[in-house]
Amino acid sequence: MFEEHWNSFQKLTFIEAIEKPFYGYAFLLLLFLILSLFLLRKMRKELIEVFTDDEGNVHITPNALHELVKKSCDDIADVFSPTTEIKRIGKSFRLNIKIHVNPNCNIKETRQNLQNMIESTMVKNLCFTNFQGLDIVIKGFRDEE
């Protein structure tokens, strides 16, 4: 019985096959599975290790790192709309920060200020041992208000 159905499905043309409800349901199921896997991956909370000592481990969430970068950018007048991407390299990590800046700002100075603020907060204050630095990408310019 299975062989008969299999042979009949193999002889169908593409147009005939997509008209069969079985293929429509299979396609919807595949789409649902892909969407579910995508959402599960997005919702996964990966912790980033800050440091380890004799008393235990200290971890931080990616959302807390994004918030730290946003607050550091808020203190610099020419930097707007930061978004942060965390690049993992083994047990260490690097930040990729995308920002909007004023067109008349000194980019070298702004980059250095932002880099100093974030690195001093992460390494000196929070004692990150696995932070390898940050990269800055200018994703646009914003007019002064």
Side-chain angles (χ1 to χ4, degrees):
M1 179 164 163
F2 178 73
E3 240 176 75
E4 290 176 24
H5 289 295
W6 181 250
N7 288 335
S8 67
F9 281 129
Q10 285 181 330
K11 293 177 183 174
L12 293 176
T13 65
F14 180 73
I15 303 291
E16 292 171 335
I18 61 173
E19 289 176 353
K20 299 277 185 188
F22 172 77
Y23 289 105
Y25 294 136
F27 178 73
L28 288 176
L29 179 64
L30 178 66
L31 200 61
F32 175 74
L33 288 174
I34 291 171
L35 182 64
S36 298
L37 289 174
F38 176 75
L39 289 175
L40 282 173
R41 184 180 167 112
K42 281 292 190 185
M43 292 172 43
R44 184 177 60 195
K45 299 282 185 195
E46 290 187 24
L47 297 176
I48 298 168
E49 186 175 304
V50 176
F51 65 88
T52 303
D53 61 9
D54 296 336
E55 296 178 22
N57 299 331
V58 177
H59 293 88
I60 190 167
T61 64
N63 287 342
L65 277 178
H66 297 306
E67 186 178 324
L68 177 71
V69 169
K70 184 178 179 344
K71 288 186 182 200
S72 296
C73 289
D74 288 344
D75 293 340
I76 299 174
D78 292 330
V79 177
F80 305 98
S81 307
T83 56
T84 310
E85 183 179 309
I86 301 166
K87 295 183 196 174
R88 291 181 185 254
I89 308 162
K91 287 194 171 194
S92 57
F93 70 96
R94 190 169 184 82
L95 295 178
N96 187 19
I97 302 170
K98 298 177 182 178
I99 57 174
H100 283 93
V101 294
N102 283 331
N104 61 351
C105 80
N106 183 341
I107 299 213
K108 268 189 169 180
E109 184 180 312
T110 303
R111 182 202 60 185
Q112 193 62 43
N113 288 342
L114 182 60
Q115 196 165 8
N116 289 341
M117 288 181 75
I118 291 173
E119 285 181 353
S120 69
T121 302
M122 293 180 77
V123 176
K124 292 177 187 168
N125 298 346
L126 298 176
C127 302
F128 274 78
T129 57
N130 55 355
F131 179 62
Q132 290 191 341
L134 56 101
D135 300 312
I136 297 174
V137 176
I138 298 173
K139 65 179 178 179
F141 294 94
R142 182 174 169 182
D143 293 330
E144 289 189 59
E145 295 174 357

